[in-house]
Amino acid sequence: QVQLVESGGGLVQAGGSLRLSCAASVSISSTDVMGWYRQAPGKQRELVAGITSGNSINYANSVKGRFTISRDNAKNTVYLQMNSLKPEDTAVYYCNLNRARWSGGRADYWGQGTQVTVSS
């Protein structure tokens, strides 16, 4: 049973910083892709940043230069450092683990989400 537990959300003023953490209950393998998504009220969930075990990284255009994703495989943890936060970054942030299945294809696992609120 894969469980992802996020932490680090909260309320911050515009221009401030937060660091999100996501701890997995299982060992992260070399084929796992981990990422952060967010969902604002009335909007669809969107990818914020993703990282492979080889540290190939992609970011949403809206967060490039402000957010940094990293992973520590030894701790089974992925992080999202968020700097220069803007009110439009306000959303529930979800950790995602994308893993290959033995039967083929890939499966997605999600954390419970952590609220990030940026005040203007």
Side-chain angles (χ1 to χ4, degrees):
Q1 183 81 8
V2 176
Q3 291 186 326
L4 303 172
V5 179
E6 300 111 332
S7 60
L11 173 64
V12 65
Q13 289 188 331
S17 298
L18 284 174
R19 188 191 194 208
L20 305 183
S21 299
C22 171
S25 62
V26 297
S27 295
I28 300 174
S29 75
S30 60
T31 59
D32 289 339
V33 179
M34 299 200 74
W36 289 94
Y37 289 70
R38 67 186 181 187
Q39 187 167 18
K43 294 188 176 181
Q44 289 189 332
R45 190 173 297 189
E46 63 174 358
L47 174 68
V48 177
I51 184 169
T52 69
S53 62
N55 285 332
S56 175
I57 293 172
N58 65 297
Y59 294 102
N61 287 334
S62 59
V63 306
K64 282 181 181 177
R66 300 187 298 120
F67 290 11
T68 302
I69 189 171
S70 61
R71 62 193 275 173
D72 185 337
N73 289 345
K75 296 182 178 180
N76 301 319
T77 300
V78 64
Y79 305 96
L80 185 67
Q81 177 66 44
M82 305 185 293
N83 299 327
S84 302
L85 282 161
K86 305 175 181 180
E88 51 263 44
D89 294 318
T90 295
V92 178
Y93 284 70
Y94 296 91
C95 178
N96 171 266
L97 168 62
N98 181 266
R99 164 168 287 188
R101 300 183 188 202
W102 288 107
S103 58
R106 300 186 70 88
D108 281 303
Y109 300 90
W110 297 92
Q112 80 285 357
T114 185
Q115 177 70 46
V116 171
T117 303
V118 184
S119 63
S120 57

